[in-house]
Amino acid sequence: MTVASTTQSPECGRPSPPLPVLLRRVVGLTFVVSFVEVTVYMDVGRIYPGIMTGNTVEFGRSVALHHWSNAVLTGSAIGSFFCGCMCASLIRRYMKWPCWELLLMAMVLLIVTFVRLSPTLQNLLELPLVALAIGMQGETLTRFGGVSLQTLVVTNNMVKFADGFIGRYIAVWLDRKRFERTRPTPKEVFLPGAAWLCYFISSMLGAIIEQISRFGLFLPIVVLFLTVYDLRHSRYAFN
């Protein structure tokens, strides 16, 4: 079966991960982003630290209508995210171990956890720091078992899931002779679908925990460290 293949990775000589391992990694990283997104959204009000499509639209609207305070807020989120992506890109090029970005992200979130306890520091630092951290994650893992997937972008994952589901189950059922050769693999269907579902469930969990404790960001920090441990010690390939 394609998913359980043990073909060797050309980069590290380790076998390609099976579907359960890929799902574990996708779910872990998606959980981190969604949990952090909803936490910061509830803190700063209608600004997401990692959803740049919405922020760009809001930034343009604010500038056009001269809502300068909101323009500064959304602009700082966009700029910080861009800086995070550039930092992660440099790290990926100069360091042999790409998981440094995830460790740095965990350190930034740890700082943010304590920044949130001070209203003065929170208003000044929380949004740009978290945007920086999420930008780092966006540059770390973008392929899972050969499947191109962004754990930050829900819309794209929904499109991929819909296309994969139709290609694997509906199109082949309608015309097997025509579509059998281009039939998507199970991981091309389930990985983007799992990413979207996890994003939804994690946002619910983040919203609930935020009502109970101001230290909720410790949970995604723990998940980041577990993910790094998995990537470092797993017998399966990194991508």
Side-chain angles (χ1 to χ4, degrees):
M1 186 175 180
T2 304
V3 174
S5 173
T6 56
T7 55
Q8 297 295 309
S9 167
E11 294 183 359
C12 59
R14 290 186 287 177
S16 297
L19 182 58
V21 174
L22 295 172
L23 282 172
R24 182 175 72 214
R25 295 173 180 178
V26 167
V27 166
L29 291 174
T30 304
F31 166 82
V32 170
V33 173
S34 180
F35 194 102
V36 171
E37 290 275 11
V38 72
T39 300
V40 177
Y41 178 86
M42 294 172 70
D43 277 350
V44 303
R46 296 193 298 177
I47 300 294
Y48 291 104
I51 304 177
M52 292 302 114
T53 303
N55 286 345
T56 301
V57 171
E58 183 65 20
F59 183 52
R61 185 191 72 85
S62 299
V63 171
L65 299 180
H66 301 164
H67 296 166
W68 301 119
S69 60
N70 199 52
V72 169
L73 197 60
T74 52
S76 67
I78 294 170
S80 298
F81 183 87
F82 186 65
C83 290
C85 291
M86 291 193 295
C87 290
S89 180
L90 285 172
I91 292 171
R92 192 180 69 249
R93 283 172 167 80
Y94 285 99
M95 293 186 178
K96 295 181 179 180
W97 194 39
C99 287
W100 277 115
E101 288 102 324
L102 298 182
L103 291 177
L104 286 174
M105 181 183 183
M107 294 299 102
V108 173
L109 291 181
L110 183 61
I111 294 172
V112 172
T113 299
F114 294 99
V115 164
R116 297 179 69 226
L117 301 179
S118 169
T120 303
L121 292 177
Q122 177 184 343
N123 295 334
L124 182 65
L125 297 177
E126 181 178 2
L127 182 60
L129 282 177
V130 172
L132 181 71
I134 292 180
M136 289 180 181
Q137 177 169 322
E139 281 281 345
T140 303
L141 278 177
T142 57
R143 294 189 67 81
F144 298 84
V147 177
S148 178
L149 187 70
Q150 261 288 357
T151 54
L152 310 184
V153 185
V154 177
T155 305
N156 192 42
N157 290 339
M158 292 176 69
V159 171
K160 288 188 175 184
F161 172 65
D163 182 63
F165 183 85
I166 291 296
R168 180 165 180 83
Y169 298 107
I170 306 301
V172 171
W173 176 68
L174 293 173
D175 192 343
R176 179 173 293 273
K177 183 178 181 180
R178 181 179 180 183
F179 296 110
E180 180 65 34
R181 288 187 178 182
T182 58
R183 188 181 190 186
T185 62
K187 62 185 177 182
E188 291 176 304
V189 179
F190 295 122
L191 290 181
W196 176 82
L197 182 61
C198 179
Y199 212 100
F200 168 68
I201 295 174
S202 300
S203 65
M204 292 176 58
L205 180 62
I208 293 171
I209 291 181
E210 176 62 18
Q211 302 300 314
I212 301 171
S213 172
R214 294 291 288 174
F215 293 96
L217 288 181
F218 276 126
L219 190 53
I221 290 172
V222 170
V223 173
L224 279 173
F225 278 109
L226 290 175
T227 302
V228 169
Y229 181 86
D230 173 36
L231 294 169
R232 177 67 179 84
H233 296 282
S234 175
R235 68 186 184 90
Y236 297 109
F238 180 78
N239 58 6

